[in-house]
Amino acid sequence: MKKSIRIIAVAVAAIILCMSLASCGLFGKKLDGKYESDLALLGKYTLNFEGKEVTVSVKNLLGQVDKYEGTYEIDDDTISFEFLDDDGEEIEGAPFSDDTYAFEEDEDTGDITIGNWVFEKVDD
């Protein structure tokens, strides 16, 4: 009986520790929701974040929409993206995939800044 109580106590302590580490951002900041930016000649960009995954839609001046699905990682004040095809190869020409960008989130509005581009949070 004492052994069972010790095992349960250790398990509860481990769960509490994991939850506290997750809440303090040890596992990286995650975004959730839809963000848009009209980048003039580059087109309209829509970023849809869900967990660690992101879908980037680019609508060019002719109305053509290209979609890129990938993952992202926020580390302190930088963000990086990775877009892979079905073979695991990096997709050439995918937006934001060639560098690590400065990242900032406006706590009041929810808007984000990636590099020099501001993306407004969109309510669905």
Side-chain angles (χ1 to χ4, degrees):
M1 182 71 170
K2 287 183 181 182
K3 190 173 185 178
S4 298
I5 293 175
R6 286 184 192 167
I7 291 172
I8 291 171
V10 169
V12 168
I15 290 170
I16 291 171
L17 177 63
C18 288
M19 290 175 64
S20 66
L21 290 175
S23 69
C24 74
L26 180 66
F27 299 113
K29 179 171 178 53
K30 299 291 182 223
L31 297 171
D32 189 36
K34 190 175 190 180
Y35 299 82
E36 291 183 344
S37 183
D38 191 358
L39 299 177
L41 295 176
L42 297 176
K44 182 176 183 175
Y45 281 63
T46 303
L47 284 69
N48 193 5
F49 294 95
E50 191 173 315
K52 67 177 186 169
E53 297 179 358
V54 62
T55 301
V56 178
S57 301
V58 182
K59 184 176 183 181
N60 65 22
L61 295 175
L62 302 174
Q64 178 184 357
V65 177
D66 294 320
K67 285 190 175 187
Y68 303 90
E69 294 181 359
T71 58
Y72 71 98
E73 183 177 340
I74 298 173
D75 186 21
D76 293 327
D77 58 353
T78 62
I79 187 169
S80 59
F81 296 86
E82 182 176 53
F83 300 96
L84 303 176
D85 62 16
D86 293 335
D87 297 328
E89 299 291 323
E90 190 169 330
I91 297 174
E92 295 284 327
F96 304 112
S97 63
D98 58 345
D99 203 356
T100 298
Y101 296 89
F103 175 80
E104 188 176 317
E105 183 175 18
D106 187 323
E107 297 294 328
D108 296 329
T109 64
D111 298 346
I112 60 173
T113 303
I114 298 174
N116 295 323
W117 302 286
V118 176
F119 292 85
E120 294 179 2
K121 177 112 176 159
V122 177
D123 296 328
D124 289 328

